[in-house]
Amino acid sequence: MATDPWKSPADLFDEAAGIISPSIFADRDIYKLELERVFSKSWLFIAHETHIPKTGDYFATHMAEDPVVAVRQKDGSVRVFMNQCRHRGMKICRTDGGNAKAFTCTYHGWAYDIGGDLVSVPLEEKSFVGLDKSQWGARQARVESYKGLIFATWNMEAPCLSDYLGDAAFYLDAVLDRSAAGTEVIGGITKWVIPCNWKLAAEQFCSDMYHGLFSHGSIFTAASIPPSSLNTGRQFRAARGGHGTGFFVRSVPEMKITNAGERVAGYDPVADEKAAVARLGTRGGLFVQHMTIFPSFSFFAGFNSLRVWHPRGPDKVEVWAFTIVEKDASAATKEQLRISSTRTFSPAGTWEQDDGENWVEIQRVLRGHEARRTSFNIQMGMGRDYGTDPDLPGSKRQALSEDAARGFYAHWLTLMTQPDKAYAKGGNPLQAAE
Amino acid sequence: MTFVRVCSENEVPPGEALRTESAAGPVALFNVDGEFFAIEDTCSHGQWSLADGYLTGDKIECTLHMAKFCVRTGKACTLPATKPVKIFPVERRGEDVLVDFDGGRYAA
Ligand code: FES
Ligand SMILES: [Fe+2]
């Protein structure tokens, strides 16, 4: 069993004092434990249902560092399994996505059906005695969906997905449930690497409206957003689970378009929003909503950029971002969102570059020995009572706070200080795996 | 020799295949630009349905290990397959396509 690389959990994050250690963004041992204790224990975002509509459609992705394949089955269900051959561990799927009838390992030819079950072993009769193929399928994750989003986990004891999302689902609906028709993906996936720790990104989307006024100040100015519209902020910290979101409730529909430059003919954000408000009430008109579902799934509503932060070591994150729209939206709305999300939240996007610039510099500073021993302040909003909003359960009447960030790190710390039961028992890791 | 009706020709468009069960085991029927051919459905290499494969011209590629067979002769055209599959006589009566399941044999 790994020994914890800290003396006391409060050395990492002390919620009562509002202090956080920079080592959690840079330390390799902490990162290794995160893979085991955070990522292998949590529900992780996999894909949107419309990425894989038909039988045999597959989508290759990762659960943290582990490569997996999500495949649509004949009965309409989705399976998610390790992209790792059980013979010598070669990838069994070497393309990003498409439609398959089987997955054949390119090394020695072991072949798996679309459910990941082993169906063929070359020279089986000649060279193996009593090989039980049913025991050597690809390792299966547990899979569940919420309103078009497919999640999976390795934790067979985890609560069901809807309990995991808990009270945060209400806010997820602000982007997933704007129309009875549901959502669909437009365009492909943008993938890029940012040399920064995954938590800098995930925490920001969870909680940080604060930086917007400064880091994105030029966008706010260019978009002529009246500063007064920013006085209606709310922040939500999930009762448990580390999820969080922040937003303004007085909508400025024009903002979406002003930021995005030219308007697609026929795009009518005011009408779009009216329809959503009719369905969802206040939630239909949230403005600049950022959100993280712990640990690594985030979105920015309005431009509808959804993304997963795949960790790639303590100092790298691989972003996979895509855009969703209401299935029944007009062609103009779909086209506008495609353009707007690319212009704002993509590697060259206006907002994205502001954020990345900060995260990359923070990470560079953390190469320093002394920098890693210099604690950070996470006290914003502590000791303040902002009041609640009956329309928006769990939210406080102030978006400029770090309460949701403290919720994110509190849940992170709970997981980090709970060793994997199977490993803790000192048991055989091979048995623990099954 | 007993020819048994398998399907009507428009049920299997050109480039497509149909898998059918018979006393002689599963048989795959292919439409190659309007000409019909029947061969053993199970790949001689990896125990997989050839009807599930990709048909290009008169060659069927198994989706499991990419072995190719000629649907006219049943012969293996590429590794990893080394053995042929049986071929079955096919007859057309009007719109119907019939196969003689007793007539399975390896091509000379
Ligand atoms: S590693 Fe996959 S068949 Fe050998
Ligand atoms: Fe930002």
Side-chain angles (χ1 to χ4, degrees), chain B residues 54-97:
Chain B
Y54 303 106
L55 185 65
T56 314
D58 57 6
K59 304 284 186 298
I60 181 70
E61 181 179 307
C62 180
T63 52
L64 218 53
H65 297 102
M66 293 83 206
K68 283 186 190 149
F69 296 87
C70 174
V71 301
R72 293 175 195 273
T73 64
K75 286 191 176 146
C77 311
T78 62
L79 283 174
T82 52
K83 294 186 211 117
V85 292
K86 284 183 187 156
I87 51 175
F88 294 85
V90 176
E91 218 177 80
R92 305 275 284 274
R93 280 184 209 153
E95 310 240 296
D96 291 343
V97 185

Short mmCIF file of all heavy atoms in Angstrom, two decimals, chain B residues 54-97:
data_model
loop_
_atom_site.label_atom_id
_atom_site.label_comp_id
_atom_site.label_asym_id
_atom_site.label_seq_id
_atom_site.Cartn_x
_atom_site.Cartn_y
_atom_site.Cartn_z
N TYR B 54 -16.79 -7.21 -45.17
CA TYR B 54 -16.87 -6.16 -46.17
C TYR B 54 -16.67 -6.77 -47.55
O TYR B 54 -15.63 -7.38 -47.82
CB TYR B 54 -15.80 -5.09 -45.90
CG TYR B 54 -15.91 -4.50 -44.52
CD1 TYR B 54 -15.01 -4.84 -43.52
CD2 TYR B 54 -16.95 -3.61 -44.22
CE1 TYR B 54 -15.13 -4.30 -42.25
CE2 TYR B 54 -17.07 -3.06 -42.95
CZ TYR B 54 -16.15 -3.41 -41.96
OH TYR B 54 -16.27 -2.88 -40.71
N LEU B 55 -17.66 -6.60 -48.44
CA LEU B 55 -17.59 -7.17 -49.78
C LEU B 55 -17.07 -6.11 -50.75
O LEU B 55 -17.64 -5.04 -50.88
CB LEU B 55 -18.98 -7.64 -50.21
CG LEU B 55 -19.09 -8.37 -51.54
CD1 LEU B 55 -18.33 -9.71 -51.50
CD2 LEU B 55 -20.55 -8.62 -51.92
N THR B 56 -15.96 -6.42 -51.42
CA THR B 56 -15.42 -5.53 -52.45
C THR B 56 -15.24 -6.37 -53.70
O THR B 56 -14.44 -7.32 -53.68
CB THR B 56 -14.05 -4.95 -52.02
OG1 THR B 56 -14.15 -4.50 -50.67
CG2 THR B 56 -13.64 -3.79 -52.91
N GLY B 57 -16.01 -6.04 -54.75
CA GLY B 57 -15.99 -6.91 -55.93
C GLY B 57 -16.45 -8.29 -55.52
O GLY B 57 -17.48 -8.43 -54.84
N ASP B 58 -15.66 -9.33 -55.85
CA ASP B 58 -16.05 -10.68 -55.45
C ASP B 58 -15.21 -11.20 -54.29
O ASP B 58 -15.12 -12.39 -54.05
CB ASP B 58 -15.99 -11.64 -56.65
CG ASP B 58 -14.61 -11.69 -57.29
OD1 ASP B 58 -13.67 -11.06 -56.74
OD2 ASP B 58 -14.48 -12.36 -58.33
N LYS B 59 -14.57 -10.25 -53.54
CA LYS B 59 -13.78 -10.65 -52.37
C LYS B 59 -14.49 -10.21 -51.10
O LYS B 59 -14.91 -9.04 -50.98
CB LYS B 59 -12.40 -9.96 -52.40
CG LYS B 59 -11.60 -10.22 -53.68
CD LYS B 59 -11.00 -11.63 -53.68
CE LYS B 59 -10.08 -11.84 -54.88
NZ LYS B 59 -10.78 -11.71 -56.19
N ILE B 60 -14.59 -11.15 -50.16
CA ILE B 60 -15.17 -10.81 -48.87
C ILE B 60 -14.06 -10.75 -47.83
O ILE B 60 -13.24 -11.66 -47.74
CB ILE B 60 -16.29 -11.80 -48.46
CG1 ILE B 60 -16.91 -11.39 -47.12
CG2 ILE B 60 -15.78 -13.23 -48.39
CD1 ILE B 60 -17.74 -10.15 -47.17
N GLU B 61 -14.03 -9.64 -47.08
CA GLU B 61 -13.00 -9.49 -46.05
C GLU B 61 -13.63 -9.73 -44.68
O GLU B 61 -14.60 -9.08 -44.30
CB GLU B 61 -12.41 -8.08 -46.10
CG GLU B 61 -11.32 -7.86 -45.07
CD GLU B 61 -10.72 -6.46 -45.14
OE1 GLU B 61 -10.28 -6.05 -46.23
OE2 GLU B 61 -10.70 -5.79 -44.09
N CYS B 62 -13.08 -10.68 -43.96
CA CYS B 62 -13.58 -11.00 -42.62
C CYS B 62 -13.28 -9.83 -41.69
O CYS B 62 -12.19 -9.26 -41.73
CB CYS B 62 -12.90 -12.28 -42.11
SG CYS B 62 -13.47 -12.74 -40.47
N THR B 63 -14.24 -9.47 -40.83
CA THR B 63 -14.02 -8.30 -39.97
C THR B 63 -13.16 -8.64 -38.77
O THR B 63 -12.75 -7.74 -38.04
CB THR B 63 -15.36 -7.73 -39.44
OG1 THR B 63 -16.10 -8.79 -38.85
CG2 THR B 63 -16.14 -7.10 -40.55
N LEU B 64 -12.89 -9.92 -38.55
CA LEU B 64 -12.13 -10.26 -37.34
C LEU B 64 -10.62 -10.13 -37.55
O LEU B 64 -9.93 -9.49 -36.78
CB LEU B 64 -12.50 -11.67 -36.89
CG LEU B 64 -12.60 -11.87 -35.38
CD1 LEU B 64 -13.52 -10.85 -34.76
CD2 LEU B 64 -13.07 -13.27 -35.05
N HIS B 65 -10.10 -10.79 -38.59
CA HIS B 65 -8.65 -10.72 -38.81
C HIS B 65 -8.30 -10.30 -40.24
O HIS B 65 -7.19 -10.48 -40.70
CB HIS B 65 -7.99 -12.07 -38.50
CG HIS B 65 -8.15 -12.46 -37.06
ND1 HIS B 65 -9.09 -13.39 -36.66
CD2 HIS B 65 -7.55 -12.02 -35.94
CE1 HIS B 65 -9.02 -13.52 -35.34
NE2 HIS B 65 -8.11 -12.71 -34.88
N MET B 66 -9.30 -9.78 -40.95
CA MET B 66 -9.08 -9.20 -42.28
C MET B 66 -8.62 -10.20 -43.33
O MET B 66 -8.05 -9.81 -44.36
CB MET B 66 -8.09 -8.01 -42.23
CG MET B 66 -8.64 -6.83 -41.49
SD MET B 66 -8.38 -7.05 -39.73
CE MET B 66 -9.68 -6.06 -39.03
N ALA B 67 -8.85 -11.49 -43.12
CA ALA B 67 -8.58 -12.47 -44.17
C ALA B 67 -9.58 -12.24 -45.30
O ALA B 67 -10.73 -11.87 -45.04
CB ALA B 67 -8.72 -13.89 -43.64
N LYS B 68 -9.13 -12.43 -46.55
CA LYS B 68 -10.05 -12.25 -47.69
C LYS B 68 -10.28 -13.58 -48.38
O LYS B 68 -9.35 -14.38 -48.54
CB LYS B 68 -9.47 -11.26 -48.69
CG LYS B 68 -9.60 -9.84 -48.22
CD LYS B 68 -9.14 -8.86 -49.30
CE LYS B 68 -9.05 -7.47 -48.70
NZ LYS B 68 -8.02 -6.67 -49.32
N PHE B 69 -11.53 -13.79 -48.83
CA PHE B 69 -11.90 -14.99 -49.58
C PHE B 69 -12.58 -14.55 -50.87
O PHE B 69 -13.26 -13.53 -50.90
CB PHE B 69 -12.89 -15.85 -48.78
CG PHE B 69 -12.31 -16.41 -47.51
CD1 PHE B 69 -12.37 -15.66 -46.34
CD2 PHE B 69 -11.72 -17.66 -47.48
CE1 PHE B 69 -11.84 -16.16 -45.16
CE2 PHE B 69 -11.18 -18.18 -46.31
CZ PHE B 69 -11.24 -17.42 -45.14
N CYS B 70 -12.40 -15.38 -51.90
CA CYS B 70 -13.14 -15.15 -53.14
C CYS B 70 -14.50 -15.82 -53.00
O CYS B 70 -14.56 -17.00 -52.66
CB CYS B 70 -12.36 -15.75 -54.32
SG CYS B 70 -13.33 -15.64 -55.83
N VAL B 71 -15.58 -15.05 -53.22
CA VAL B 71 -16.91 -15.64 -53.03
C VAL B 71 -17.30 -16.56 -54.21
O VAL B 71 -18.23 -17.35 -54.09
CB VAL B 71 -18.01 -14.58 -52.79
CG1 VAL B 71 -17.67 -13.73 -51.56
CG2 VAL B 71 -18.22 -13.70 -54.00
N ARG B 72 -16.56 -16.49 -55.33
CA ARG B 72 -16.84 -17.39 -56.46
C ARG B 72 -16.26 -18.77 -56.19
O ARG B 72 -16.88 -19.78 -56.47
CB ARG B 72 -16.18 -16.88 -57.75
CG ARG B 72 -16.76 -15.60 -58.27
CD ARG B 72 -15.96 -15.11 -59.49
NE ARG B 72 -16.30 -13.72 -59.77
CZ ARG B 72 -17.33 -13.37 -60.55
NH1 ARG B 72 -18.05 -14.28 -61.15
NH2 ARG B 72 -17.61 -12.10 -60.73
N THR B 73 -15.02 -18.80 -55.61
CA THR B 73 -14.30 -20.07 -55.47
C THR B 73 -14.16 -20.53 -54.03
O THR B 73 -13.77 -21.67 -53.78
CB THR B 73 -12.88 -19.91 -56.04
OG1 THR B 73 -12.18 -18.94 -55.22
CG2 THR B 73 -12.90 -19.44 -57.48
N GLY B 74 -14.42 -19.64 -53.06
CA GLY B 74 -14.22 -19.99 -51.65
C GLY B 74 -12.76 -20.00 -51.24
O GLY B 74 -12.43 -20.29 -50.09
N LYS B 75 -11.87 -19.68 -52.17
CA LYS B 75 -10.45 -19.77 -51.85
C LYS B 75 -9.98 -18.61 -50.97
O LYS B 75 -10.44 -17.48 -51.11
CB LYS B 75 -9.62 -19.79 -53.14
CG LYS B 75 -9.75 -21.13 -53.81
CD LYS B 75 -8.76 -21.32 -54.93
CE LYS B 75 -8.91 -22.76 -55.45
NZ LYS B 75 -8.68 -22.85 -56.88
N ALA B 76 -9.03 -18.93 -50.06
CA ALA B 76 -8.43 -17.89 -49.23
C ALA B 76 -7.47 -17.09 -50.09
O ALA B 76 -6.61 -17.65 -50.76
CB ALA B 76 -7.69 -18.53 -48.05
N CYS B 77 -7.62 -15.77 -50.09
CA CYS B 77 -6.77 -14.91 -50.93
C CYS B 77 -5.64 -14.28 -50.12
O CYS B 77 -4.66 -13.82 -50.69
CB CYS B 77 -7.57 -13.79 -51.57
SG CYS B 77 -9.07 -14.34 -52.37
N THR B 78 -5.83 -14.16 -48.80
CA THR B 78 -4.80 -13.49 -47.98
C THR B 78 -4.63 -14.20 -46.65
O THR B 78 -5.55 -14.85 -46.17
CB THR B 78 -5.20 -12.03 -47.64
OG1 THR B 78 -6.40 -12.08 -46.88
CG2 THR B 78 -5.38 -11.17 -48.86
N LEU B 79 -3.48 -14.03 -46.04
CA LEU B 79 -3.25 -14.41 -44.65
C LEU B 79 -4.16 -13.53 -43.79
O LEU B 79 -4.49 -12.43 -44.21
CB LEU B 79 -1.79 -14.18 -44.26
CG LEU B 79 -0.79 -15.23 -44.78
CD1 LEU B 79 0.62 -14.79 -44.44
CD2 LEU B 79 -1.08 -16.61 -44.19
N PRO B 80 -4.53 -13.92 -42.59
CA PRO B 80 -4.06 -15.14 -41.91
C PRO B 80 -4.82 -16.41 -42.32
O PRO B 80 -4.47 -17.48 -41.83
CB PRO B 80 -4.30 -14.82 -40.44
CG PRO B 80 -5.45 -13.86 -40.45
CD PRO B 80 -5.31 -13.06 -41.70
N ALA B 81 -5.82 -16.34 -43.21
CA ALA B 81 -6.51 -17.57 -43.63
C ALA B 81 -5.60 -18.36 -44.57
O ALA B 81 -4.95 -17.77 -45.45
CB ALA B 81 -7.82 -17.23 -44.32
N THR B 82 -5.59 -19.68 -44.39
CA THR B 82 -4.79 -20.52 -45.29
C THR B 82 -5.68 -21.56 -45.95
O THR B 82 -5.32 -22.12 -46.97
CB THR B 82 -3.67 -21.23 -44.52
OG1 THR B 82 -4.25 -21.89 -43.39
CG2 THR B 82 -2.63 -20.24 -44.03
N LYS B 83 -6.86 -21.84 -45.35
CA LYS B 83 -7.75 -22.88 -45.89
C LYS B 83 -8.96 -22.24 -46.57
O LYS B 83 -9.43 -21.18 -46.12
CB LYS B 83 -8.23 -23.79 -44.76
CG LYS B 83 -7.09 -24.59 -44.14
CD LYS B 83 -7.67 -25.56 -43.12
CE LYS B 83 -6.71 -25.82 -41.99
NZ LYS B 83 -7.20 -25.38 -40.70
N PRO B 84 -9.47 -22.89 -47.60
CA PRO B 84 -10.65 -22.35 -48.28
C PRO B 84 -11.93 -22.60 -47.47
O PRO B 84 -11.90 -23.33 -46.48
CB PRO B 84 -10.69 -23.15 -49.59
CG PRO B 84 -10.08 -24.46 -49.22
CD PRO B 84 -9.02 -24.17 -48.20
N VAL B 85 -13.03 -21.97 -47.89
CA VAL B 85 -14.36 -22.33 -47.37
C VAL B 85 -15.13 -22.97 -48.52
O VAL B 85 -14.80 -22.79 -49.70
CB VAL B 85 -15.12 -21.10 -46.83
CG1 VAL B 85 -14.46 -20.55 -45.58
CG2 VAL B 85 -15.24 -20.01 -47.90
N LYS B 86 -16.19 -23.75 -48.17
CA LYS B 86 -16.98 -24.44 -49.21
C LYS B 86 -17.83 -23.44 -49.99
O LYS B 86 -18.23 -22.40 -49.46
CB LYS B 86 -17.91 -25.46 -48.55
CG LYS B 86 -17.19 -26.71 -48.09
CD LYS B 86 -18.20 -27.69 -47.53
CE LYS B 86 -17.47 -28.87 -46.91
NZ LYS B 86 -18.28 -29.55 -45.89
N ILE B 87 -18.10 -23.81 -51.24
CA ILE B 87 -19.04 -23.02 -52.04
C ILE B 87 -20.29 -23.87 -52.29
O ILE B 87 -20.23 -25.11 -52.26
CB ILE B 87 -18.43 -22.58 -53.39
CG1 ILE B 87 -17.82 -23.79 -54.13
CG2 ILE B 87 -17.37 -21.51 -53.18
CD1 ILE B 87 -17.32 -23.44 -55.52
N PHE B 88 -21.43 -23.21 -52.50
CA PHE B 88 -22.71 -23.90 -52.71
C PHE B 88 -23.31 -23.44 -54.03
O PHE B 88 -23.25 -22.24 -54.36
CB PHE B 88 -23.69 -23.57 -51.58
CG PHE B 88 -23.27 -24.09 -50.24
CD1 PHE B 88 -22.40 -23.36 -49.44
CD2 PHE B 88 -23.74 -25.32 -49.78
CE1 PHE B 88 -22.01 -23.84 -48.19
CE2 PHE B 88 -23.35 -25.80 -48.53
CZ PHE B 88 -22.48 -25.07 -47.74
N PRO B 89 -23.93 -24.35 -54.79
CA PRO B 89 -24.60 -23.97 -56.05
C PRO B 89 -25.78 -23.02 -55.79
O PRO B 89 -26.50 -23.20 -54.81
CB PRO B 89 -25.12 -25.30 -56.61
CG PRO B 89 -24.33 -26.36 -55.90
CD PRO B 89 -23.99 -25.81 -54.55
N VAL B 90 -25.90 -22.04 -56.66
CA VAL B 90 -26.98 -21.05 -56.54
C VAL B 90 -27.82 -21.08 -57.81
O VAL B 90 -27.28 -21.25 -58.91
CB VAL B 90 -26.40 -19.63 -56.35
CG1 VAL B 90 -27.50 -18.57 -56.32
CG2 VAL B 90 -25.56 -19.56 -55.08
N GLU B 91 -29.13 -20.92 -57.68
CA GLU B 91 -29.99 -20.87 -58.85
C GLU B 91 -30.96 -19.70 -58.72
O GLU B 91 -31.32 -19.32 -57.60
CB GLU B 91 -30.79 -22.17 -58.94
CG GLU B 91 -30.98 -22.67 -60.36
CD GLU B 91 -31.72 -23.99 -60.37
OE1 GLU B 91 -32.96 -23.97 -60.24
OE2 GLU B 91 -31.05 -25.04 -60.46
N ARG B 92 -31.37 -19.10 -59.85
CA ARG B 92 -32.37 -18.03 -59.82
C ARG B 92 -33.63 -18.55 -60.46
O ARG B 92 -33.60 -19.14 -61.55
CB ARG B 92 -31.87 -16.82 -60.62
CG ARG B 92 -30.53 -16.30 -60.18
CD ARG B 92 -30.69 -15.34 -59.02
NE ARG B 92 -31.18 -14.06 -59.49
CZ ARG B 92 -30.39 -13.10 -59.95
NH1 ARG B 92 -29.10 -13.26 -59.99
NH2 ARG B 92 -30.90 -11.95 -60.36
N ARG B 93 -34.77 -18.37 -59.78
CA ARG B 93 -36.06 -18.68 -60.42
C ARG B 93 -36.92 -17.44 -60.31
O ARG B 93 -37.42 -17.14 -59.22
CB ARG B 93 -36.74 -19.87 -59.71
CG ARG B 93 -36.15 -21.20 -60.16
CD ARG B 93 -36.87 -22.39 -59.55
NE ARG B 93 -35.96 -23.50 -59.41
CZ ARG B 93 -36.06 -24.46 -58.52
NH1 ARG B 93 -37.08 -24.48 -57.66
NH2 ARG B 93 -35.19 -25.44 -58.46
N GLY B 94 -37.05 -16.74 -61.42
CA GLY B 94 -37.77 -15.46 -61.37
C GLY B 94 -37.01 -14.54 -60.45
O GLY B 94 -35.80 -14.34 -60.58
N GLU B 95 -37.73 -14.02 -59.44
CA GLU B 95 -37.10 -13.11 -58.48
C GLU B 95 -36.38 -13.86 -57.37
O GLU B 95 -35.63 -13.25 -56.60
CB GLU B 95 -38.19 -12.25 -57.82
CG GLU B 95 -39.13 -11.58 -58.79
CD GLU B 95 -39.07 -10.09 -58.66
OE1 GLU B 95 -39.44 -9.57 -57.58
OE2 GLU B 95 -38.63 -9.44 -59.64
N ASP B 96 -36.64 -15.16 -57.27
CA ASP B 96 -36.14 -15.91 -56.12
C ASP B 96 -34.70 -16.38 -56.31
O ASP B 96 -34.28 -16.71 -57.42
CB ASP B 96 -37.03 -17.13 -55.84
CG ASP B 96 -38.39 -16.71 -55.32
OD1 ASP B 96 -38.51 -15.54 -54.88
OD2 ASP B 96 -39.34 -17.52 -55.38
N VAL B 97 -33.99 -16.40 -55.18
CA VAL B 97 -32.63 -16.93 -55.18
C VAL B 97 -32.65 -18.21 -54.36
O VAL B 97 -33.15 -18.22 -53.23
CB VAL B 97 -31.64 -15.93 -54.56
CG1 VAL B 97 -30.21 -16.46 -54.67
CG2 VAL B 97 -31.77 -14.57 -55.22
#
